[in-house]
Amino acid sequence: MTCPPSSDRPMRKLYIRTFGCQMNEYDSDKMADILHARNGLEQVSDPAEADVILFNTCSVREKAQEKVFNDLGRVRELKAARPGVLIGVGGCVASQEGESIIGRAPYVDLVFGPQTLHRLPEMIAQRLSSGRPQVDISFPEIEKFDNLPPARIEGASAYVSVMEGCSKYCSYCIVPYTRGEEISRPLEDVLVEVAELAQRGVHEVILLGQNVNAWRGSGDDADADFAALLDCVCEIPGIERVRYTTSHPREFSDRLVDAHARLQKLAAHVHLPVQSGSDRVLAAMKRGYTALEYKSIVRRLRRACPDISITSDFIVGFPGESEEDFVHTLKLAEAMAFDGSFCFAYSARPGTPASGMADDVPADVKNARVRRLQALVDATAAAVSESMIGSLQRVLVTGPSRRDPSELAARTSNNRVVNFAGAARLVGRMIDIEITEARAHTLRGVVPGSLPPQLADDAAGVAAGAAR
Ligand code: SAH
Ligand code: SF4
Ligand code: F3S
């Protein structure tokens, strides 16, 4: 379709709507960075103001995919009112559907994949000069990182992508088809990026990858595994805490377990998706481990780091999952005392091997299983929170509290938010906090030695009275 944008207004504002996982959140930041550096676009929170509207999409479940087309329908009206607006679709739906997105939504100007987002400035230029929609969903190795400007950072915590893609091909999952095969960034590139972030005041890095522990060195560093990468990152001056997500049980080596005993800077939290507690279902999912092997990793992790918090993902209602299979999952969840989980109802994804199996667990049974499992994990997570009351926790102060901006928020090593009264100068620092209360999703605490708020007010009143 040829329809040159009719407005000559310069492009100034960018709106990005992100669906899906942390990899997509990360990529959206990179889109904003490159369009700021190359096109001078400033990000806005209202699509009605924007000259460029991007959707960074997810196709992991049917519902996520449907949302994209609903939202696109809405921005179509914006474009009808202001024909100069450019609309782009990136991420996993774009990667999977390519050209056909333009067939279904002809007002879309740009379709780009997770590995081609750095080409956005060129795609925009070509769209404007040719008047034709641009589609580029190729997988050009890992050139993306060589073509991105330095991240614009806010706060003391930053994400660093260390590997992209997935080569595990679990039978239900779309990700290997949308993100391509696993590919690791070179060791030196990761270390240089972390060192630069540290120099700019970042104290915590979160190493990102779809299977982050599948990271491998290349060239001279071909022997390096993910545990070696953690060793190096923890040595960088200024970095005080290191997290990583998401790890896969199949590559959770003894060396990685040992890293949790050895590296004090490594956070006491691992997100380790199990998906099911039934060996029959795990085999049908092609996960590559048994329930016993999974339990053994968790047992060794807890031996290495007794306070470690383990969170997980589950899929319930996989084709053929019986009540007995599901009970195995409940039992595993109970035995592992998970500290949180995402429980998903199985959703058949076109083109995956499992989509050829009968999706035979009725929707109401799937939903009931999700609720039973989530309730169990919520209870074990609440017990962990309760057990933290009275303890002293090392936290990174992230900024004002979301609920009450007069208070501060911080993150514990085991990935919980703590709200507390404290001075703004503490933001960006690692401090100790005493936990006083456990709420549903957050903790409350006090800076040890500080007065409780009402006593502090009284003391201030006395001081003010004395001065009068
Ligand atoms: N690489 C990670 C997870 C990536 S996708 C891992 O393997 O552990 C995030 C989560 O989405 C998965 O852990 C799984 O629980 C869920 N998921 C993936 N495909 C799904 C599907 N077809 N239906 C329902 N949930 C799915
Ligand atoms: Fe999907 Fe499995 Fe890869 Fe995770 S490991 S992204 S679930 S194929
Ligand atoms: Fe979704 Fe793609 Fe992430 S399918 S979960 S955005 S890898």
Side-chain angles (χ1 to χ4, degrees):
M1 165 165 133
T2 50
C3 60
S6 60
S7 157
D8 293 332
R9 213 161 62 97
M11 292 191 305
R12 287 209 189 90
K13 292 181 178 169
L14 166 71
Y15 171 83
I16 308 182
R17 174 116 160 81
T18 308
F19 302 84
C21 61
Q22 274 155 321
M23 269 50 76
N24 263 17
E25 298 280 349
Y26 178 87
D27 283 350
S28 291
D29 286 347
K30 300 292 145 189
M31 293 171 200
D33 287 348
I34 196 158
L35 291 174
H36 177 73
R38 299 268 305 277
N39 299 61
L41 290 177
E42 294 293 343
Q43 220 171 329
V44 291
S45 54
D46 178 5
E49 276 180 42
D51 305 298
V52 178
I53 297 177
L54 301 179
F55 289 92
N56 195 9
T57 63
C58 171
S59 53
V60 80
R61 284 169 290 277
E62 197 182 352
K63 271 193 194 145
Q65 182 151 351
E66 272 170 18
K67 267 196 215 149
V68 174
F69 286 100
N70 290 343
D71 279 34
L72 269 177
R74 253 175 262 146
V75 293
R76 178 188 199 164
E77 290 155 27
L78 290 178
K79 185 154 176 162
R82 278 204 294 136
V85 172
L86 290 181
I87 298 178
V89 179
C92 289
V93 176
S95 180
Q96 208 186 326
E97 310 256 321
E99 289 269 353
S100 70
I101 292 191
I102 305 214
R104 199 166 152 183
Y107 46 90
V108 169
D109 302 283
L110 311 160
V111 177
F112 55 99
Q115 299 303 337
T116 49
L117 61 93
H118 59 285
R119 296 180 181 166
L120 269 171
E122 287 74 25
M123 290 178 75
I124 289 178
Q126 268 169 16
R127 167 70 184 92
L128 295 177
S129 64
S130 71
R132 290 177 179 282
Q134 301 294 310
V135 179
D136 184 354
I137 51 162
S138 54
F139 292 116
E141 286 292 299
I142 205 137
E143 68 169 47
K144 161 169 146 182
F145 295 102
D146 298 332
N147 290 280
L148 289 168
R152 290 177 296 159
I153 47 167
E154 286 164 30
S157 188
Y159 286 100
V160 176
S161 172
V162 303
M163 59 83 68
E164 302 251 316
C166 178
S167 312
K168 301 287 185 288
Y169 294 92
C170 300
S171 63
Y172 52 82
C173 185
I174 199 79
V175 172
Y177 311 96
T178 62
R179 295 253 162 187
E181 296 271 322
E182 283 165 9
I183 178 152
S184 299
R185 284 180 75 190
L187 177 67
E188 203 180 304
D189 290 12
V190 174
L191 298 183
V192 166
E193 184 171 337
V194 176
E196 280 171 7
L197 289 169
Q199 275 178 359
R200 291 156 67 196
V202 166
H203 296 315
E204 176 186 79
V205 285
I206 305 150
L207 306 181
L208 265 192
Q210 196 57 259
N211 288 301
V212 73
N213 52 332
W215 182 90
R216 290 290 174 277
S218 49
D220 289 347
D221 305 308
D223 291 344
D225 61 1
F226 185 63
L229 175 68
L230 289 176
D231 273 325
C232 298
V233 171
C234 285
E235 270 176 29
I236 293 175
I239 295 300
E240 296 187 49
R241 184 171 280 167
V242 178
R243 302 183 184 279
Y244 59 86
T245 197
T246 298
S247 53
H248 193 289
R250 223 155 87 187
E251 267 137 339
F252 217 103
S253 63
D254 285 341
R255 279 176 45 78
L256 182 50
V257 171
D258 291 345
H260 279 273
R262 190 176 65 243
L263 301 172
Q264 295 308 305
K265 291 182 181 176
L266 206 50
H269 171 233
V270 174
H271 185 65
L272 191 61
V274 63
Q275 314 298 0
S276 170
S278 153
D279 286 341
R280 216 176 56 83
V281 174
L282 285 171
M285 288 178 163
K286 298 225 168 350
R287 287 292 290 179
Y289 53 83
T290 61
L292 193 63
E293 282 164 340
Y294 181 90
K295 287 183 196 167
S296 147
I297 298 168
V298 172
R299 200 171 306 119
R300 282 179 284 141
L301 264 173
R302 291 211 162 114
R303 212 180 298 140
C305 176
D307 287 335
I308 201 158
S309 136
I310 316 275
T311 53
S312 202
D313 290 352
F314 296 91
I315 298 177
V316 302
F318 187 78
E321 184 190 70
S322 64
E323 176 64 20
E324 194 189 337
D325 290 318
F326 177 65
V327 168
H328 283 301
T329 301
L330 286 176
K331 284 195 174 141
L332 178 133
E334 191 166 20
M336 296 295 92
F338 286 120
D339 196 13
S341 73
F342 295 104
C343 304
F344 304 107
Y346 170 72
S347 163
R349 304 315 293 130
T352 60
S355 68
M357 300 163 83
D359 188 359
D360 54 0
V361 180
D364 56 339
V365 175
K366 282 182 186 166
N367 293 335
R369 286 180 187 167
V370 166
R371 284 194 300 271
R372 283 160 73 190
L373 181 56
Q374 194 65 59
L376 190 152
V377 178
D378 287 350
T380 49
V384 175
S385 293
E386 289 287 328
S387 74
M388 291 171 75
I389 296 175
S391 68
L392 207 56
Q393 298 285 328
R394 190 95 184 132
V395 299
L396 176 65
V397 185
T398 46
S401 153
R402 270 209 248 156
R403 255 230 223 112
D404 175 358
S406 73
E407 290 200 332
L408 295 178
R411 199 164 280 275
T412 63
S413 181
N414 68 358
N415 214 27
R416 278 176 168 66
V417 173
V418 190
N419 293 315
F420 64 100
R425 68 185 156 74
L426 295 177
V427 173
R429 285 177 42 191
M430 300 277 294
I431 61 168
D432 289 328
I433 286 281
E434 189 184 329
I435 306 302
T436 53
E437 197 183 327
R439 298 193 171 168
H441 300 288
T442 54
L443 302 170
R444 285 199 62 75
V446 291
V447 180
S450 69
L451 293 168
Q454 81 272 31
L455 285 186
D457 286 347
D458 291 350
V462 169
R468 243 185 269 134

